[in-house]
Amino acid sequence: MELYLNLKEEEVHSSIPYALVCMTRYGSHWDTFHRRRRWKEEFTENERAACTRLFRHSHMWLLGNGVPDSVKMSLKTFALWQKLGDFCSSI
C-alpha cells in the first residue's frame, strides 16, 4: 500500500522547491563537473530517472501554466522533491 499526498496550490508553493529546482536545472550551475560528480554520488540511478519528471514539472509550474489547483503525489515523490531541493540549494 502506498500513501499519497493531495496538496493544494498554496501548499505546493510553500513545501515544494520547484522554483529553485527549475532555476538550478536550467541555469549555468547545472553544467559543471562538480555538480555532475555530486549528482552521481548522492542520487541513485532510479532517483536520477525520476528527477527528469520533476524537472519537467518544475519548468511547467514556474514558466509554463503555473501550479495546478491540486497536486497528488506519493510520499516517496515528496521526499525526492525535498532531496532535490536540498541538492540544488547546495550547488
Side-chain angles (χ1 to χ4, degrees):
M1 181 161 99
E2 190 166 2
L3 297 175
Y4 286 89
L5 297 173
N6 194 8
L7 302 173
K8 295 179 180 164
E9 181 181 359
E10 300 82 27
E11 294 170 322
V12 170
H13 289 301
S14 65
S15 62
I16 304 291
Y18 68 91
L20 173 66
V21 169
C22 181
M23 291 169 53
T24 303
R25 171 59 184 92
Y26 298 103
S28 62
H29 296 310
W30 197 256
D31 293 327
T32 63
F33 178 75
H34 173 71
R35 192 273 317 159
R36 288 182 186 139
R37 182 174 35 88
R38 283 193 51 216
W39 181 247
K40 287 194 173 192
E41 290 172 357
E42 296 179 26
F43 289 82
T44 66
E45 187 174 335
N46 288 338
E47 287 175 330
R48 291 191 304 263
C51 283
T52 59
R53 189 172 49 87
L54 301 185
F55 292 139
R56 279 181 293 180
H57 282 297
S58 71
H59 189 270
M60 183 175 55
W61 291 348
L62 184 65
L63 302 172
N65 302 333
V67 178
D69 293 337
S70 68
V71 176
K72 182 179 178 182
M73 70 179 73
S74 68
L75 290 175
K76 185 177 176 182
T77 301
F78 184 78
L80 186 57
W81 270 114
Q82 301 308 311
K83 182 177 179 179
L84 186 57
D86 291 342
F87 176 80
C88 288
S89 69
S90 71
I91 58 172

